[in-house]
Amino acid sequence: MNNHPAGEERHTPAPNTIAQGFKDCAPTLLGYISIGLAFGVVAAASGLSFLEVTLLSWLVYAGSAQFIICALLVAGTPLLSIILTTFIVNLRHLLLSLTLAPYFTRYSVGKNIGIGALLTDESFGIAAVKASKEGRLGDRWMNGLNLTAYISWGLSCMAGALFGRWIAEPEILGLDFALVAMFIALLVLQLRHIPAGKLRGYLLLILLTAALMVIFSSFMPAHTAVLLSTVIAATVGTVTIR
Amino acid sequence: MTTTSWMLGLIAGCCAVTIVPRVLPFLLVRSVKLPAALLRWLSFIPVCILTALIVQGLLIQPENGRRIAVNWPYVLVAAPTLLVAAKTKSLSASVIVGVVLLAIVRWAM
């Protein structure tokens, strides 16, 4: 395969099927559904109509950006400022897509556009773990993963907007932690495929990223802090971990 | 079931600025062969961005002039979630344990 990031360890790949992608997406569903419902509730409370919530969830399809759009709408922000903010919030997708794109160069342009258009933090995390485990990614698997996430997000947002009044606060149930818990597990799984000799370097890199996040978050928006911490830490890793 | 042309314009604009960073790299890598150094750099992105997203979740963003704060219930639950993830290597188990533990912590507080 061409243009392909080095995977240190190769396992027998799971089948490249939509069904396998659906199966591998399952652990993220609790996060998508609870946050999607919460978004629908918040959006309806911010004065968005059901049609607007539906369009936003299926066309923008970006959790944190959708919440920020609602907050800006309530604050009466001008159109171009909201679009610019959305752009900055979603700029991190550039990194996610650039990391995964080399695995899909053997597929058609159309397939690549479809895969890229539905990439999220969560589907990226699962695909990155699979890529470091198996050294390759399949189109049907990726589409199964992406579509499962996309459809559950869209439907959850719509349900939240429709039935928001009858849904208990997700906070009481602890569901708001689903996303963080999943990122923690994805990080652990990602580290399993690091060769033992490099593990110390990676752990230091994690500490560095965390420290940068705490520093940057105190004086800049969270999404910019994520972007900047990641770029700086990855650069330090490239230079120091051999 | 209503909307305005202003809202449609907003949603279309937000859709465009979101889809471009998502799709552009997939088109770029087809025509440009990425240099080895960039591929090496990209190999660090998953660990770094996952860490950054976790820390973002554990912090409470400062609002109107207040200082950044730690989300202590989250931090408290993050530790056992990490152990479960390391022990079981299961995403589902980690998510369920994390959510249940946070519900218990909230109930106890």
Side-chain angles (χ1 to χ4, degrees):
Chain A
M1 240 201 309
N2 51 358
N3 221 356
H4 185 288
E8 270 84 4
E9 206 185 331
R10 304 290 157 115
H11 293 239
T12 331
N16 174 24
T17 57
I18 296 210
Q20 186 64 39
F22 168 78
K23 227 178 101 187
D24 289 346
C25 191
T28 68
L29 291 184
L30 198 56
Y32 278 117
I33 293 169
S34 54
I35 294 165
L37 286 173
F39 172 75
V41 174
V42 168
S46 313
L48 271 75
S49 70
F50 179 67
L51 176 66
E52 288 163 351
V53 174
T54 306
L55 289 174
L56 206 56
S57 313
W58 292 94
L59 293 178
V60 178
Y61 183 46
S64 44
Q66 285 177 221
F67 278 101
I68 292 167
I69 291 169
C70 285
L72 293 176
L73 278 173
V74 171
T77 315
L79 184 120
L80 282 179
S81 307
I82 301 182
I83 294 177
L84 182 67
T85 308
T86 305
F87 177 65
I88 295 167
V89 171
N90 287 327
L91 214 50
R92 72 176 184 292
H93 288 117
L94 209 58
L95 290 179
L96 308 185
S97 287
L98 198 56
T99 308
L100 291 190
Y103 290 97
F104 294 100
T105 45
R106 66 186 186 280
Y107 297 116
S108 69
V109 176
K111 271 189 179 163
N112 274 269
I113 291 175
I115 288 167
L118 295 185
L119 200 64
T120 64
D121 293 328
E122 294 84 348
S123 63
F124 166 81
I126 292 175
V129 167
K130 190 181 171 73
S132 40
K133 193 164 90 184
E134 297 173 0
R136 59 183 286 140
L137 293 170
D139 57 341
R140 287 188 294 275
W141 177 83
M142 194 68 207
N143 283 333
L145 177 75
N146 273 343
L147 284 173
T148 309
Y150 185 49
I151 292 166
S152 26
W153 174 256
L155 294 182
S156 308
C157 291
M158 290 165 75
L162 271 185
F163 309 115
R165 277 168 291 171
W166 298 287
I167 296 172
E169 285 277 318
E171 290 235 326
I172 298 170
L173 301 168
L175 283 171
D176 50 307
F177 191 68
L179 206 59
V180 182
M182 206 190 55
F183 289 141
I184 290 174
L186 282 172
L187 181 61
V188 170
L189 291 183
Q190 189 70 47
L191 288 176
R192 284 183 65 219
H193 304 291
I194 308 280
K198 289 185 181 175
L199 198 57
R200 212 181 91 93
Y202 269 87
L203 291 177
L204 288 172
L205 205 57
I206 287 173
L207 287 180
L208 172 71
T209 313
L212 289 171
M213 270 303 287
V214 172
I215 294 166
F216 290 148
S217 302
S218 60
F219 63 92
M220 62 173 72
H223 44 87
T224 318
V226 168
L227 202 61
L228 211 56
S229 308
T230 305
V231 166
I232 294 175
T235 309
V236 171
T238 311
V239 175
T240 56
I241 301 178
R242 287 282 161 191
Chain B
M1 285 295 253
T2 51
T3 188
T4 58
S5 56
W6 189 90
M7 264 310 278
L8 288 180
L10 177 77
I11 293 170
C14 291
C15 174
V17 297
T18 305
I19 209 161
V20 166
R22 272 177 170 156
V23 168
L24 202 62
F26 280 87
L27 302 178
L28 186 82
V29 296
R30 302 176 67 83
S31 43
V32 184
K33 185 151 171 54
L34 299 184
L38 181 58
L39 286 175
R40 248 177 64 73
W41 184 77
L42 287 173
S43 73
F44 290 101
I45 295 294
V47 165
C48 295
I49 204 158
L50 286 171
T51 306
L53 289 170
I54 292 166
V55 175
Q56 183 196 347
L58 299 182
L59 295 174
I60 298 168
Q61 285 304 304
E63 269 177 66
N64 38 44
R66 289 174 54 196
R67 289 182 60 193
I68 190 157
V70 174
N71 191 334
W72 286 112
Y74 272 31
V75 174
L76 205 63
V77 173
T81 305
L82 184 69
L83 285 180
V84 171
K87 194 90 184 157
T88 64
K89 285 136 197 133
S90 154
L91 287 183
S92 306
S94 313
V95 170
I96 290 165
V97 167
V99 165
V100 169
L101 284 179
L102 184 66
I104 293 170
V105 165
R106 286 223 174 99
W107 176 77
M109 278 193 333

PDB file of all heavy atoms in Angstrom, chain A residues 9-45:
ATOM      1  N   GLU A   9       2.479  -3.139  14.643  1.00  0.00           N
ATOM      2  CA  GLU A   9       2.059  -4.485  14.984  1.00  0.00           C
ATOM      3  C   GLU A   9       0.919  -4.872  14.046  1.00  0.00           C
ATOM      4  O   GLU A   9      -0.004  -4.111  13.849  1.00  0.00           O
ATOM      5  CB  GLU A   9       1.548  -4.455  16.429  1.00  0.00           C
ATOM      6  CG  GLU A   9       1.636  -5.758  17.161  1.00  0.00           C
ATOM      7  CD  GLU A   9       0.979  -5.587  18.540  1.00  0.00           C
ATOM      8  OE1 GLU A   9       0.983  -4.474  19.072  1.00  0.00           O
ATOM      9  OE2 GLU A   9       0.466  -6.578  19.049  1.00  0.00           O
ATOM     10  N   ARG A  10       0.959  -6.035  13.435  1.00  0.00           N
ATOM     11  CA  ARG A  10      -0.116  -6.439  12.521  1.00  0.00           C
ATOM     12  C   ARG A  10      -0.905  -7.588  13.120  1.00  0.00           C
ATOM     13  O   ARG A  10      -0.343  -8.551  13.615  1.00  0.00           O
ATOM     14  CB  ARG A  10       0.454  -6.873  11.169  1.00  0.00           C
ATOM     15  CG  ARG A  10       1.318  -5.829  10.495  1.00  0.00           C
ATOM     16  CD  ARG A  10       0.476  -4.670  10.021  1.00  0.00           C
ATOM     17  NE  ARG A  10       1.297  -3.474   9.890  1.00  0.00           N
ATOM     18  CZ  ARG A  10       1.551  -2.870   8.738  1.00  0.00           C
ATOM     19  NH1 ARG A  10       1.038  -3.311   7.641  1.00  0.00           N
ATOM     20  NH2 ARG A  10       2.290  -1.789   8.706  1.00  0.00           N
ATOM     21  N   HIS A  11      -2.225  -7.478  13.059  1.00  0.00           N
ATOM     22  CA  HIS A  11      -3.092  -8.571  13.493  1.00  0.00           C
ATOM     23  C   HIS A  11      -3.906  -9.014  12.294  1.00  0.00           C
ATOM     24  O   HIS A  11      -3.965  -8.353  11.283  1.00  0.00           O
ATOM     25  CB  HIS A  11      -4.047  -8.103  14.596  1.00  0.00           C
ATOM     26  CG  HIS A  11      -3.354  -7.753  15.869  1.00  0.00           C
ATOM     27  ND1 HIS A  11      -3.610  -8.367  17.062  1.00  0.00           N
ATOM     28  CD2 HIS A  11      -2.401  -6.826  16.131  1.00  0.00           C
ATOM     29  CE1 HIS A  11      -2.851  -7.851  18.004  1.00  0.00           C
ATOM     30  NE2 HIS A  11      -2.109  -6.911  17.474  1.00  0.00           N
ATOM     31  N   THR A  12      -4.604 -10.121  12.436  1.00  0.00           N
ATOM     32  CA  THR A  12      -5.532 -10.517  11.378  1.00  0.00           C
ATOM     33  C   THR A  12      -6.651  -9.489  11.328  1.00  0.00           C
ATOM     34  O   THR A  12      -7.296  -9.236  12.335  1.00  0.00           O
ATOM     35  CB  THR A  12      -6.156 -11.895  11.699  1.00  0.00           C
ATOM     36  OG1 THR A  12      -5.211 -12.620  12.470  1.00  0.00           O
ATOM     37  CG2 THR A  12      -6.527 -12.622  10.452  1.00  0.00           C
ATOM     38  N   PRO A  13      -6.892  -8.888  10.166  1.00  0.00           N
ATOM     39  CA  PRO A  13      -7.923  -7.855  10.121  1.00  0.00           C
ATOM     40  C   PRO A  13      -9.321  -8.443  10.265  1.00  0.00           C
ATOM     41  O   PRO A  13      -9.601  -9.527   9.765  1.00  0.00           O
ATOM     42  CB  PRO A  13      -7.736  -7.212   8.742  1.00  0.00           C
ATOM     43  CG  PRO A  13      -6.720  -8.005   8.017  1.00  0.00           C
ATOM     44  CD  PRO A  13      -6.233  -9.100   8.891  1.00  0.00           C
ATOM     45  N   ALA A  14     -10.204  -7.687  10.971  1.00  0.00           N
ATOM     46  CA  ALA A  14     -11.616  -8.054  11.030  1.00  0.00           C
ATOM     47  C   ALA A  14     -12.205  -7.810   9.650  1.00  0.00           C
ATOM     48  O   ALA A  14     -11.645  -7.056   8.862  1.00  0.00           O
ATOM     49  CB  ALA A  14     -12.309  -7.214  12.096  1.00  0.00           C
ATOM     50  N   PRO A  15     -13.345  -8.457   9.314  1.00  0.00           N
ATOM     51  CA  PRO A  15     -13.880  -8.308   7.958  1.00  0.00           C
ATOM     52  C   PRO A  15     -14.231  -6.858   7.617  1.00  0.00           C
ATOM     53  O   PRO A  15     -14.701  -6.120   8.474  1.00  0.00           O
ATOM     54  CB  PRO A  15     -15.140  -9.175   7.987  1.00  0.00           C
ATOM     55  CG  PRO A  15     -15.442  -9.423   9.421  1.00  0.00           C
ATOM     56  CD  PRO A  15     -14.138  -9.356  10.138  1.00  0.00           C
ATOM     57  N   ASN A  16     -13.990  -6.478   6.351  1.00  0.00           N
ATOM     58  CA  ASN A  16     -14.320  -5.131   5.876  1.00  0.00           C
ATOM     59  C   ASN A  16     -15.784  -5.106   5.448  1.00  0.00           C
ATOM     60  O   ASN A  16     -16.101  -5.136   4.263  1.00  0.00           O
ATOM     61  CB  ASN A  16     -13.389  -4.765   4.715  1.00  0.00           C
ATOM     62  CG  ASN A  16     -13.760  -3.439   4.085  1.00  0.00           C
ATOM     63  OD1 ASN A  16     -14.395  -2.590   4.733  1.00  0.00           O
ATOM     64  ND2 ASN A  16     -13.377  -3.241   2.839  1.00  0.00           N
ATOM     65  N   THR A  17     -16.680  -5.081   6.438  1.00  0.00           N
ATOM     66  CA  THR A  17     -18.106  -5.076   6.121  1.00  0.00           C
ATOM     67  C   THR A  17     -18.800  -3.950   6.873  1.00  0.00           C
ATOM     68  O   THR A  17     -18.316  -3.493   7.910  1.00  0.00           O
ATOM     69  CB  THR A  17     -18.786  -6.394   6.542  1.00  0.00           C
ATOM     70  OG1 THR A  17     -18.545  -6.573   7.947  1.00  0.00           O
ATOM     71  CG2 THR A  17     -18.225  -7.587   5.789  1.00  0.00           C
ATOM     72  N   ILE A  18     -19.948  -3.521   6.325  1.00  0.00           N
ATOM     73  CA  ILE A  18     -20.763  -2.510   7.002  1.00  0.00           C
ATOM     74  C   ILE A  18     -21.172  -3.015   8.373  1.00  0.00           C
ATOM     75  O   ILE A  18     -21.156  -2.279   9.360  1.00  0.00           O
ATOM     76  CB  ILE A  18     -22.001  -2.179   6.133  1.00  0.00           C
ATOM     77  CG1 ILE A  18     -21.510  -1.543   4.824  1.00  0.00           C
ATOM     78  CG2 ILE A  18     -22.982  -1.291   6.880  1.00  0.00           C
ATOM     79  CD1 ILE A  18     -22.430  -0.557   4.182  1.00  0.00           C
ATOM     80  N   ALA A  19     -21.513  -4.332   8.445  1.00  0.00           N
ATOM     81  CA  ALA A  19     -21.968  -4.907   9.716  1.00  0.00           C
ATOM     82  C   ALA A  19     -20.886  -4.808  10.787  1.00  0.00           C
ATOM     83  O   ALA A  19     -21.165  -4.480  11.946  1.00  0.00           O
ATOM     84  CB  ALA A  19     -22.385  -6.353   9.510  1.00  0.00           C
ATOM     85  N   GLN A  20     -19.618  -5.057  10.399  1.00  0.00           N
ATOM     86  CA  GLN A  20     -18.519  -4.968  11.359  1.00  0.00           C
ATOM     87  C   GLN A  20     -18.347  -3.516  11.828  1.00  0.00           C
ATOM     88  O   GLN A  20     -18.096  -3.258  13.000  1.00  0.00           O
ATOM     89  CB  GLN A  20     -17.228  -5.495  10.729  1.00  0.00           C
ATOM     90  CG  GLN A  20     -16.046  -5.581  11.691  1.00  0.00           C
ATOM     91  CD  GLN A  20     -16.265  -6.569  12.824  1.00  0.00           C
ATOM     92  OE1 GLN A  20     -16.828  -7.633  12.627  1.00  0.00           O
ATOM     93  NE2 GLN A  20     -15.854  -6.194  14.025  1.00  0.00           N
ATOM     94  N   GLY A  21     -18.501  -2.569  10.891  1.00  0.00           N
ATOM     95  CA  GLY A  21     -18.422  -1.146  11.245  1.00  0.00           C
ATOM     96  C   GLY A  21     -19.520  -0.766  12.213  1.00  0.00           C
ATOM     97  O   GLY A  21     -19.289  -0.044  13.188  1.00  0.00           O
ATOM     98  N   PHE A  22     -20.710  -1.272  11.967  1.00  0.00           N
ATOM     99  CA  PHE A  22     -21.849  -1.024  12.864  1.00  0.00           C
ATOM    100  C   PHE A  22     -21.540  -1.567  14.253  1.00  0.00           C
ATOM    101  O   PHE A  22     -21.747  -0.908  15.268  1.00  0.00           O
ATOM    102  CB  PHE A  22     -23.105  -1.697  12.278  1.00  0.00           C
ATOM    103  CG  PHE A  22     -24.264  -1.751  13.227  1.00  0.00           C
ATOM    104  CD1 PHE A  22     -25.032  -0.627  13.456  1.00  0.00           C
ATOM    105  CD2 PHE A  22     -24.566  -2.924  13.896  1.00  0.00           C
ATOM    106  CE1 PHE A  22     -26.098  -0.674  14.355  1.00  0.00           C
ATOM    107  CE2 PHE A  22     -25.631  -2.982  14.784  1.00  0.00           C
ATOM    108  CZ  PHE A  22     -26.399  -1.852  15.011  1.00  0.00           C
ATOM    109  N   LYS A  23     -20.994  -2.784  14.286  1.00  0.00           N
ATOM    110  CA  LYS A  23     -20.667  -3.433  15.564  1.00  0.00           C
ATOM    111  C   LYS A  23     -19.625  -2.614  16.336  1.00  0.00           C
ATOM    112  O   LYS A  23     -19.754  -2.400  17.533  1.00  0.00           O
ATOM    113  CB  LYS A  23     -20.121  -4.837  15.279  1.00  0.00           C
ATOM    114  CG  LYS A  23     -20.721  -5.932  16.133  1.00  0.00           C
ATOM    115  CD  LYS A  23     -20.153  -7.293  15.758  1.00  0.00           C
ATOM    116  CE  LYS A  23     -19.099  -7.729  16.748  1.00  0.00           C
ATOM    117  NZ  LYS A  23     -18.408  -8.948  16.326  1.00  0.00           N
ATOM    118  N   ASP A  24     -18.602  -2.147  15.608  1.00  0.00           N
ATOM    119  CA  ASP A  24     -17.527  -1.410  16.267  1.00  0.00           C
ATOM    120  C   ASP A  24     -17.975  -0.023  16.695  1.00  0.00           C
ATOM    121  O   ASP A  24     -17.313   0.632  17.502  1.00  0.00           O
ATOM    122  CB  ASP A  24     -16.309  -1.312  15.336  1.00  0.00           C
ATOM    123  CG  ASP A  24     -15.626  -2.669  15.172  1.00  0.00           C
ATOM    124  OD1 ASP A  24     -15.936  -3.578  15.971  1.00  0.00           O
ATOM    125  OD2 ASP A  24     -14.800  -2.828  14.259  1.00  0.00           O
ATOM    126  N   CYS A  25     -19.094   0.462  16.143  1.00  0.00           N
ATOM    127  CA  CYS A  25     -19.606   1.782  16.513  1.00  0.00           C
ATOM    128  C   CYS A  25     -20.422   1.713  17.806  1.00  0.00           C
ATOM    129  O   CYS A  25     -20.597   2.713  18.498  1.00  0.00           O
ATOM    130  CB  CYS A  25     -20.467   2.364  15.393  1.00  0.00           C
ATOM    131  SG  CYS A  25     -20.882   4.096  15.619  1.00  0.00           S
ATOM    132  N   ALA A  26     -20.901   0.497  18.136  1.00  0.00           N
ATOM    133  CA  ALA A  26     -21.825   0.338  19.261  1.00  0.00           C
ATOM    134  C   ALA A  26     -21.381   1.042  20.554  1.00  0.00           C
ATOM    135  O   ALA A  26     -22.192   1.724  21.179  1.00  0.00           O
ATOM    136  CB  ALA A  26     -22.081  -1.147  19.505  1.00  0.00           C
ATOM    137  N   PRO A  27     -20.093   0.921  20.954  1.00  0.00           N
ATOM    138  CA  PRO A  27     -19.715   1.552  22.219  1.00  0.00           C
ATOM    139  C   PRO A  27     -19.893   3.076  22.229  1.00  0.00           C
ATOM    140  O   PRO A  27     -19.988   3.676  23.288  1.00  0.00           O
ATOM    141  CB  PRO A  27     -18.224   1.207  22.358  1.00  0.00           C
ATOM    142  CG  PRO A  27     -18.011   0.047  21.475  1.00  0.00           C
ATOM    143  CD  PRO A  27     -18.992   0.168  20.360  1.00  0.00           C
ATOM    144  N   THR A  28     -19.925   3.697  21.052  1.00  0.00           N
ATOM    145  CA  THR A  28     -20.055   5.158  21.018  1.00  0.00           C
ATOM    146  C   THR A  28     -21.515   5.593  21.096  1.00  0.00           C
ATOM    147  O   THR A  28     -21.792   6.766  21.311  1.00  0.00           O
ATOM    148  CB  THR A  28     -19.470   5.735  19.721  1.00  0.00           C
ATOM    149  OG1 THR A  28     -20.296   5.314  18.626  1.00  0.00           O
ATOM    150  CG2 THR A  28     -18.062   5.267  19.467  1.00  0.00           C
ATOM    151  N   LEU A  29     -22.436   4.637  20.913  1.00  0.00           N
ATOM    152  CA  LEU A  29     -23.842   5.026  20.769  1.00  0.00           C
ATOM    153  C   LEU A  29     -24.408   5.715  22.005  1.00  0.00           C
ATOM    154  O   LEU A  29     -25.159   6.677  21.887  1.00  0.00           O
ATOM    155  CB  LEU A  29     -24.696   3.804  20.396  1.00  0.00           C
ATOM    156  CG  LEU A  29     -24.424   3.289  18.978  1.00  0.00           C
ATOM    157  CD1 LEU A  29     -25.357   2.162  18.633  1.00  0.00           C
ATOM    158  CD2 LEU A  29     -24.560   4.415  17.962  1.00  0.00           C
ATOM    159  N   LEU A  30     -24.010   5.229  23.193  1.00  0.00           N
ATOM    160  CA  LEU A  30     -24.515   5.841  24.419  1.00  0.00           C
ATOM    161  C   LEU A  30     -24.149   7.322  24.448  1.00  0.00           C
ATOM    162  O   LEU A  30     -24.958   8.172  24.811  1.00  0.00           O
ATOM    163  CB  LEU A  30     -23.932   5.108  25.635  1.00  0.00           C
ATOM    164  CG  LEU A  30     -24.658   5.306  26.961  1.00  0.00           C
ATOM    165  CD1 LEU A  30     -26.121   4.925  26.842  1.00  0.00           C
ATOM    166  CD2 LEU A  30     -23.979   4.504  28.056  1.00  0.00           C
ATOM    167  N   GLY A  31     -22.924   7.623  24.024  1.00  0.00           N
ATOM    168  CA  GLY A  31     -22.477   9.015  23.968  1.00  0.00           C
ATOM    169  C   GLY A  31     -23.266   9.815  22.951  1.00  0.00           C
ATOM    170  O   GLY A  31     -23.784  10.890  23.253  1.00  0.00           O
ATOM    171  N   TYR A  32     -23.379   9.287  21.721  1.00  0.00           N
ATOM    172  CA  TYR A  32     -24.098  10.005  20.662  1.00  0.00           C
ATOM    173  C   TYR A  32     -25.544  10.261  21.064  1.00  0.00           C
ATOM    174  O   TYR A  32     -26.075  11.358  20.891  1.00  0.00           O
ATOM    175  CB  TYR A  32     -24.111   9.182  19.363  1.00  0.00           C
ATOM    176  CG  TYR A  32     -22.855   9.306  18.552  1.00  0.00           C
ATOM    177  CD1 TYR A  32     -22.047   8.208  18.313  1.00  0.00           C
ATOM    178  CD2 TYR A  32     -22.488  10.529  18.006  1.00  0.00           C
ATOM    179  CE1 TYR A  32     -20.898   8.307  17.562  1.00  0.00           C
ATOM    180  CE2 TYR A  32     -21.338  10.644  17.243  1.00  0.00           C
ATOM    181  CZ  TYR A  32     -20.548   9.514  17.030  1.00  0.00           C
ATOM    182  OH  TYR A  32     -19.414   9.630  16.284  1.00  0.00           O
ATOM    183  N   ILE A  33     -26.197   9.221  21.594  1.00  0.00           N
ATOM    184  CA  ILE A  33     -27.629   9.338  21.874  1.00  0.00           C
ATOM    185  C   ILE A  33     -27.871  10.332  23.013  1.00  0.00           C
ATOM    186  O   ILE A  33     -28.708  11.224  22.905  1.00  0.00           O
ATOM    187  CB  ILE A  33     -28.237   7.950  22.172  1.00  0.00           C
ATOM    188  CG1 ILE A  33     -28.203   7.103  20.892  1.00  0.00           C
ATOM    189  CG2 ILE A  33     -29.654   8.074  22.693  1.00  0.00           C
ATOM    190  CD1 ILE A  33     -28.524   5.641  21.083  1.00  0.00           C
ATOM    191  N   SER A  34     -27.076  10.204  24.105  1.00  0.00           N
ATOM    192  CA  SER A  34     -27.351  11.095  25.233  1.00  0.00           C
ATOM    193  C   SER A  34     -27.016  12.545  24.875  1.00  0.00           C
ATOM    194  O   SER A  34     -27.749  13.462  25.227  1.00  0.00           O
ATOM    195  CB  SER A  34     -26.598  10.637  26.487  1.00  0.00           C
ATOM    196  OG  SER A  34     -25.236  10.498  26.213  1.00  0.00           O
ATOM    197  N   ILE A  35     -25.910  12.743  24.143  1.00  0.00           N
ATOM    198  CA  ILE A  35     -25.545  14.126  23.800  1.00  0.00           C
ATOM    199  C   ILE A  35     -26.464  14.669  22.701  1.00  0.00           C
ATOM    200  O   ILE A  35     -26.845  15.837  22.722  1.00  0.00           O
ATOM    201  CB  ILE A  35     -24.062  14.194  23.413  1.00  0.00           C
ATOM    202  CG1 ILE A  35     -23.220  13.858  24.644  1.00  0.00           C
ATOM    203  CG2 ILE A  35     -23.689  15.589  22.906  1.00  0.00           C
ATOM    204  CD1 ILE A  35     -21.800  13.532  24.347  1.00  0.00           C
ATOM    205  N   GLY A  36     -26.888  13.803  21.765  1.00  0.00           N
ATOM    206  CA  GLY A  36     -27.836  14.215  20.735  1.00  0.00           C
ATOM    207  C   GLY A  36     -29.166  14.657  21.338  1.00  0.00           C
ATOM    208  O   GLY A  36     -29.709  15.705  20.981  1.00  0.00           O
ATOM    209  N   LEU A  37     -29.664  13.848  22.291  1.00  0.00           N
ATOM    210  CA  LEU A  37     -30.904  14.215  22.982  1.00  0.00           C
ATOM    211  C   LEU A  37     -30.730  15.561  23.679  1.00  0.00           C
ATOM    212  O   LEU A  37     -31.576  16.453  23.563  1.00  0.00           O
ATOM    213  CB  LEU A  37     -31.275  13.138  24.013  1.00  0.00           C
ATOM    214  CG  LEU A  37     -31.833  11.823  23.468  1.00  0.00           C
ATOM    215  CD1 LEU A  37     -31.993  10.802  24.589  1.00  0.00           C
ATOM    216  CD2 LEU A  37     -33.179  12.053  22.785  1.00  0.00           C
ATOM    217  N   ALA A  38     -29.595  15.685  24.394  1.00  0.00           N
ATOM    218  CA  ALA A  38     -29.331  16.939  25.112  1.00  0.00           C
ATOM    219  C   ALA A  38     -29.290  18.109  24.140  1.00  0.00           C
ATOM    220  O   ALA A  38     -29.834  19.179  24.414  1.00  0.00           O
ATOM    221  CB  ALA A  38     -28.023  16.835  25.890  1.00  0.00           C
ATOM    222  N   PHE A  39     -28.694  17.895  22.960  1.00  0.00           N
ATOM    223  CA  PHE A  39     -28.627  18.983  21.985  1.00  0.00           C
ATOM    224  C   PHE A  39     -30.026  19.391  21.530  1.00  0.00           C
ATOM    225  O   PHE A  39     -30.356  20.575  21.457  1.00  0.00           O
ATOM    226  CB  PHE A  39     -27.788  18.614  20.760  1.00  0.00           C
ATOM    227  CG  PHE A  39     -27.904  19.662  19.692  1.00  0.00           C
ATOM    228  CD1 PHE A  39     -27.249  20.874  19.828  1.00  0.00           C
ATOM    229  CD2 PHE A  39     -28.738  19.482  18.597  1.00  0.00           C
ATOM    230  CE1 PHE A  39     -27.407  21.877  18.887  1.00  0.00           C
ATOM    231  CE2 PHE A  39     -28.901  20.476  17.652  1.00  0.00           C
ATOM    232  CZ  PHE A  39     -28.223  21.679  17.790  1.00  0.00           C
ATOM    233  N   GLY A  40     -30.867  18.392  21.231  1.00  0.00           N
ATOM    234  CA  GLY A  40     -32.229  18.693  20.797  1.00  0.00           C
ATOM    235  C   GLY A  40     -32.969  19.538  21.822  1.00  0.00           C
ATOM    236  O   GLY A  40     -33.641  20.520  21.483  1.00  0.00           O
ATOM    237  N   VAL A  41     -32.798  19.162  23.108  1.00  0.00           N
ATOM    238  CA  VAL A  41     -33.458  19.893  24.190  1.00  0.00           C
ATOM    239  C   VAL A  41     -32.945  21.335  24.244  1.00  0.00           C
ATOM    240  O   VAL A  41     -33.715  22.297  24.264  1.00  0.00           O
ATOM    241  CB  VAL A  41     -33.198  19.178  25.543  1.00  0.00           C
ATOM    242  CG1 VAL A  41     -33.746  20.004  26.689  1.00  0.00           C
ATOM    243  CG2 VAL A  41     -33.811  17.788  25.532  1.00  0.00           C
ATOM    244  N   VAL A  42     -31.601  21.466  24.220  1.00  0.00           N
ATOM    245  CA  VAL A  42     -30.991  22.803  24.304  1.00  0.00           C
ATOM    246  C   VAL A  42     -31.403  23.658  23.108  1.00  0.00           C
ATOM    247  O   VAL A  42     -31.751  24.831  23.250  1.00  0.00           O
ATOM    248  CB  VAL A  42     -29.448  22.672  24.378  1.00  0.00           C
ATOM    249  CG1 VAL A  42     -28.775  24.024  24.160  1.00  0.00           C
ATOM    250  CG2 VAL A  42     -29.038  22.075  25.707  1.00  0.00           C
ATOM    251  N   ALA A  43     -31.392  23.041  21.913  1.00  0.00           N
ATOM    252  CA  ALA A  43     -31.709  23.798  20.704  1.00  0.00           C
ATOM    253  C   ALA A  43     -33.157  24.284  20.732  1.00  0.00           C
ATOM    254  O   ALA A  43     -33.441  25.441  20.400  1.00  0.00           O
ATOM    255  CB  ALA A  43     -31.456  22.934  19.467  1.00  0.00           C
ATOM    256  N   ALA A  44     -34.071  23.391  21.149  1.00  0.00           N
ATOM    257  CA  ALA A  44     -35.479  23.795  21.232  1.00  0.00           C
ATOM    258  C   ALA A  44     -35.636  24.926  22.246  1.00  0.00           C
ATOM    259  O   ALA A  44     -36.352  25.895  22.010  1.00  0.00           O
ATOM    260  CB  ALA A  44     -36.335  22.591  21.608  1.00  0.00           C
ATOM    261  N   ALA A  45     -34.906  24.782  23.374  1.00  0.00           N
ATOM    262  CA  ALA A  45     -34.984  25.826  24.401  1.00  0.00           C
ATOM    263  C   ALA A  45     -34.368  27.138  23.912  1.00  0.00           C
ATOM    264  O   ALA A  45     -34.711  28.212  24.400  1.00  0.00           O
ATOM    265  CB  ALA A  45     -34.285  25.353  25.675  1.00  0.00           C
TER     266      ALA A  45
END
